[in-house]
Amino acid sequence: NAGVMQNPRHLVRRRGQEARLRCSPMKGHSHVYWYRQLPEEGLKFMVYLQKENIIDESGMPKERFSAEFPKEGPSILRIQQVVRGDSAAYFCASTRGANEQFFGPGTRLTVL
Amino acid sequence: EDQVTQSPEALRLQEGESSSLNCSYTVSGLRGLFWYRQDPGKGPEFLFTLYSAGEEKEKERLKATLTKKESFLHITAPKPEDSATYLCAVQGSGATNKLIFGTGTLLAVQP
């Protein structure tokens, strides 16, 4: 029973490029959450999605960041025109509902 | 505003030396308090959920307890493999299920 899968595990981008992070939830889970972990800081909530719907995006920066969870396929976190401050570990978690969130291994984004 | 504070920031123990980690929280309507373990370069691994004051849960050498203001993670006779960062998070009332995390306690257990 595979856990939450994220890819790529490591991503290097130059300033101004786009970053696309993918998350496949655990089997049977239809709720996906994205969190960001900056160096020396705790995990910060970004966005909560269900299939084809954004439920809560209160933690998402207003510009350059977007997320989707289509009917088919993984959830995508997209960062346009990346800046050095976007360098962080991005984690995806999934649940069946309002229960324990199970996390993936993360994508470590480095912006040069 | 919902907030979680963990202490100490770092803790070094000798193998077999029991201790406790603290998680203080303020939240409007606690729906759940969660403990996770995170190893370097990996995602958080779920340990426990506590829902109401007085509740306790155990797993191997770990026991989590909850009061109305804080939670403790007790580690009994730790081993080097218990070395990790332990994260506490709360889920408040409201339609969203987001977790509010503390910054964690880095535990190092020396053999």
Side-chain angles (χ1 to χ4, degrees):
Chain A
N1 186 15
V4 177
M5 298 175 68
Q6 291 187 248
N7 65 80
R9 295 292 309 278
H10 300 274
L11 182 61
V12 179
R13 286 287 178 266
R14 296 191 180 280
R15 281 179 296 170
Q17 291 185 318
E18 178 180 289
R20 282 189 179 231
L21 287 62
R22 289 177 290 278
C23 169
S24 296
M26 288 178 69
K27 188 176 181 180
H29 287 190
S30 59
H31 300 242
V32 165
Y33 308 79
W34 285 93
Y35 293 83
R36 177 165 63 175
Q37 189 171 40
L38 292 164
E40 309 305 322
E41 292 189 21
L43 282 152
K44 302 290 186 189
F45 168 78
M46 297 181 74
V47 62
Y48 164 34
L49 310 105
Q50 294 179 25
K51 286 284 188 180
E52 301 184 280
N53 285 302
I54 297 175
I55 307 302
D56 180 1
E57 56 181 347
S58 59
M60 286 275 272
K62 298 293 182 214
E63 297 178 351
R64 304 187 297 107
F65 285 72
S66 62
E68 63 176 6
F69 189 15
K71 187 176 180 180
E72 301 291 338
S75 174
I76 306 287
L77 179 67
R78 181 182 178 204
I79 311 172
Q80 295 178 287
Q81 300 176 333
V82 296
V83 301
R84 289 223 173 100
D86 296 332
S87 295
Y90 292 82
F91 292 97
C92 165
S94 74
T95 69
R96 282 197 181 89
N99 300 316
E100 294 82 7
Q101 295 181 19
F102 294 92
F103 283 80
T107 294
R108 277 141 190 90
L109 172 66
T110 300
V111 179
L112 301 178
Chain B
E1 183 181 338
D2 298 346
Q3 192 170 346
V4 176
T5 303
Q6 291 189 246
S7 62
E9 289 185 9
L11 180 63
R12 181 172 294 182
L13 300 173
Q14 291 297 124
E15 185 172 1
E17 179 187 3
S18 301
S19 188
S20 296
L21 313 182
N22 177 263
C23 171
S24 299
Y25 64 90
T26 54
V27 64
S28 52
L30 180 72
R31 284 200 286 150
L33 184 140
F34 303 82
W35 282 98
Y36 287 85
R37 168 191 172 130
Q38 186 174 24
D39 292 294
K42 297 190 176 181
E45 175 190 344
F46 171 75
L47 294 174
F48 303 108
T49 309
L50 301 167
Y51 294 104
S52 57
E55 190 174 1
E56 298 183 354
K57 288 194 176 171
E58 286 188 66
K59 179 181 178 180
E60 296 181 353
R61 295 176 293 281
L62 301 176
K63 183 168 98 172
T65 62
L66 181 65
T67 72
K68 289 186 178 179
K69 293 274 179 76
E70 58 191 350
S71 176
F72 291 94
L73 185 64
H74 307 277
I75 304 176
T76 302
K79 298 182 178 182
E81 53 262 42
D82 295 322
S83 298
T85 296
Y86 290 85
L87 302 172
C88 173
V90 297
Q91 189 177 64
S93 61
T96 183
N97 298 326
K98 68 181 179 185
L99 296 180
I100 307 297
F101 278 88
T103 52
T105 293
L106 176 60
L107 175 66
V109 182
Q110 311 273 8

